[in-house]
Amino acid sequence: MDRIRVALVDDHHVVRRGVRAFLESFADISVVGEAASAEEAFEKLEPWQADVVLMDLLLPGGMDGISATQRLHELGEKPRVVALTAYMDDARVTAALRAGAIGYVRKDALPEVLLEAVRAAGRGQLFLDSFAAEAVLNDSGVGNELTPREREVLLLVARGMSNRQIADALTVGDETVKSHVTAVLGKLGLSQRGQVALWALKHGWVGLDELVE
Amino acid sequence: MDRIRVALVDDHHVVRRGVRAFLESFADISVVGEAASAEEAFEKLEPWQADVVLMDLLLPGGMDGISATQRLHELGEKPRVVALTAYMDDARVTAALRAGAIGYVRKDALPEVLLEAVRAAGRGQLFLDSFAAEAVLNDSGVGNELTPREREVLLLVARGMSNRQIADALTVGDETVKSHVTAVLGKLGLSQRGQVALWALKHGWVGLDELVE
DNA sequence: CAGAAATTCCCCTGCGCGGGGGATGTCCGC
DNA sequence: GCGGACATCCCCCGCGCAGGGGAATTTCTG
């Protein structure tokens, strides 16, 4: 049987080299390439001919790991995506799976779990580590009950804009914005707009870089 | 010459295993232990007899990497600490160095840079990657012009507490808290208390876990 | 078509908070 | 001792915003 061709997408060079060293110590796995960003991954996709892409969801640059997973999934059967991420939050797990990831492993999982996930992905089988599996159960689709307009408002609120500023940005009345904000706070179970930024951060709606400066 | 005894402290098991695999491929380095938290590291400190501790600054649990570095440094000459962290922000670099770290490497640096940092630390020499060196220059000591009391207030504001709640927590009047908050906002160049949480997060004063839930 | 959902706008109330003053007492260092 | 930093508390003003109503419009869906 041919070896599983794995490509690594992670912005941390040290982590890539480390994971490569780990995975290549197994005879049935071959690491065929690395990329530090989603954009770089798509450039190198052709020569890789990878069976499995090990994708960090927290990526710098324009495209995050979820979007990249989505696009890879739309390309067809291969490569299959295994999400590898530091932080575990229920929403991100389900988001990754919705985007077409076939596996999900935390960076603090046992390395053997990662190995198993890669092998499962090579066989086309779903694999979630225990935390991810639990997350799927826990996740009540947080944020998904928001309407499109409410999501827009959410992002602007998270950026620290006032109702008036949001109203101008969306060219609607500030009373309208107030309605949306109230709806968002209610659906998210928050009581102050200041918490919205942290909520958005924790649930992967925005990155820290987008919020500060 | 004896091999450099290195211990790894990082909450991501996959990363630990990977870095271990990478470092152990060099004959002059021996990885003598691993820990997933600062607390675990101090428990295992004795048997390790490590020359160098490779420390992730972003650690779960009660003690973060900065505090752990500080305590290790107070123990004496060894082990020396090399900080290894994902995010680069000027304040965190200088905080780590003030705490006694002898090296600083980003996870997205070339693995060879990490190798060089470990070897330099083994010789007792300072080593910063290019980004860290730049950070030292850039850092104007952000947040250091705050008084102790203002720092206390800062942390509570970041946690989303109201002036009244903070006043109760510190057993002072709410007018007093208002004065401190105003001072903090002024010194930090912010205009809304909601931005304080993000500022604190970005500059390493608190972790995301401490802020949400 | 009928109903639901989404979006828009409006009224009112009360509190939190940012910005502007200032005052008092303590402690430390020059 | 005298200045300066720090911490504490006080007053005023005005805006922003959460929470409570309601209502009109369009758009989607059954």
Side-chain angles (χ1 to χ4, degrees):
Chain A
M1 186 176 116
D2 287 342
R3 298 203 289 179
I4 306 170
R5 301 173 62 86
V6 179
L8 310 177
V9 182
D10 192 315
D11 55 321
H12 301 318
H13 203 148
V14 169
V15 175
R16 288 205 307 275
R17 184 69 61 93
V19 171
R20 175 180 214 131
F22 170 70
L23 289 179
E24 290 197 325
S25 66
F26 300 93
D28 58 335
I29 294 178
S30 167
V31 177
V32 296
E34 300 181 13
S37 70
E39 288 80 359
E40 188 185 342
F42 280 103
E43 285 174 15
K44 299 181 174 174
L45 205 51
E46 283 298 324
W48 281 349
Q49 288 296 319
D51 301 313
V52 177
V53 171
L54 206 54
M55 172 96 65
D56 190 357
L57 295 187
L58 207 68
L59 290 174
M63 197 186 307
D64 64 10
I66 301 277
S67 309
T69 301
Q70 179 85 47
R71 277 190 50 187
L72 278 178
H73 185 62
E74 288 166 354
L75 292 179
E77 185 66 11
K78 285 191 179 181
R80 300 190 182 97
V81 176
V82 172
L84 176 68
T85 191
Y87 296 101
M88 173 58 51
D89 99 88
D90 300 350
R92 196 170 264 139
V93 178
T94 49
L97 296 180
R98 269 197 301 272
I102 200 171
Y104 199 109
V105 180
R106 287 216 292 194
K107 283 187 179 173
D108 63 350
L110 289 171
E112 288 70 23
V113 171
L114 174 63
L115 180 65
E116 194 49 46
V118 170
R119 285 175 171 156
R123 295 189 301 267
Q125 294 175 348
L126 180 70
F127 187 96
L128 304 178
D129 72 17
S130 55
F131 291 98
E134 191 182 343
V136 172
L137 299 176
N138 285 344
D139 186 48
S140 49
V142 195
N144 286 83
E145 71 274 16
L146 293 179
T147 68
R149 197 57 156 177
E150 284 165 352
R151 267 190 283 270
E152 278 186 86
V153 174
L154 165 66
L155 296 180
L156 298 178
V157 170
R159 281 173 177 73
M161 293 172 70
S162 73
N163 285 345
R164 190 73 192 84
Q165 289 174 313
I166 297 172
D168 289 341
L170 301 179
T171 52
V172 296
D174 44 356
E175 290 292 340
T176 304
V177 175
K178 208 166 91 64
S179 295
H180 292 314
V181 172
T182 302
V184 169
L185 291 178
K187 290 180 179 177
L188 265 46
L190 304 176
S191 60
Q192 296 167 14
R193 67 167 40 213
Q195 302 172 338
V196 171
L198 294 173
W199 185 95
L201 200 58
K202 191 194 171 202
H203 292 87
W205 287 81
V206 290
L208 185 54
D209 294 341
E210 304 173 55
L211 294 180
V212 187
E213 271 142 6
Chain B
M1 187 173 115
D2 287 344
R3 298 202 289 180
I4 306 170
R5 299 173 63 85
V6 179
L8 310 177
V9 184
D10 191 315
D11 56 320
H12 302 318
H13 203 147
V14 168
V15 176
R16 287 205 307 276
R17 184 69 62 94
V19 172
R20 175 178 215 133
F22 170 69
L23 288 179
E24 290 196 326
S25 68
F26 300 93
D28 58 335
I29 294 179
S30 166
V31 177
V32 297
E34 301 181 12
S37 70
E39 288 81 359
E40 189 185 342
F42 281 102
E43 286 174 17
K44 298 181 175 174
L45 204 52
E46 284 298 325
W48 281 349
Q49 287 298 316
D51 300 312
V52 177
V53 171
L54 206 54
M55 172 95 68
D56 191 358
L57 296 187
L58 206 69
L59 290 173
M63 196 185 309
D64 64 10
I66 301 276
S67 310
T69 300
Q70 178 86 47
R71 277 190 50 187
L72 278 178
H73 185 61
E74 288 165 356
L75 292 179
E77 185 67 11
K78 289 195 174 180
R80 302 194 180 91
V81 176
V82 172
L84 176 68
T85 190
Y87 296 101
M88 171 60 50
D89 98 87
D90 300 349
R92 195 170 264 138
V93 177
T94 49
L97 295 180
R98 267 196 302 272
I102 199 172
Y104 199 110
V105 180
R106 286 214 295 193
K107 283 188 179 172
D108 63 351
L110 289 171
E112 287 71 24
V113 172
L114 174 64
L115 178 65
E116 195 50 45
V118 170
R119 285 174 173 159
R123 295 189 301 265
Q125 294 176 347
L126 179 70
F127 186 95
L128 305 178
D129 72 14
S130 54
F131 291 98
E134 190 182 345
V136 172
L137 299 178
N138 285 344
D139 185 46
S140 50
V142 195
N144 286 79
E145 70 274 17
L146 293 179
T147 69
R149 198 55 156 176
E150 285 165 354
R151 267 189 282 271
E152 280 186 84
V153 174
L154 165 66
L155 296 180
L156 298 178
V157 170
R159 280 173 177 73
M161 292 172 70
S162 72
N163 285 344
R164 189 78 192 81
Q165 290 174 313
I166 297 173
D168 289 342
L170 300 180
T171 52
V172 295
D174 44 358
E175 291 292 340
T176 304
V177 175
K178 208 164 91 66
S179 295
H180 292 313
V181 172
T182 303
V184 169
L185 291 178
K187 290 181 179 178
L188 266 48
L190 305 176
S191 60
Q192 296 167 18
R193 63 169 44 214
Q195 303 172 336
V196 172
L198 296 173
W199 186 94
L201 200 58
K202 192 193 172 201
H203 292 88
W205 288 81
V206 291
L208 186 54
D209 295 342
E210 305 172 54
L211 294 180
V212 187
E213 272 147 5

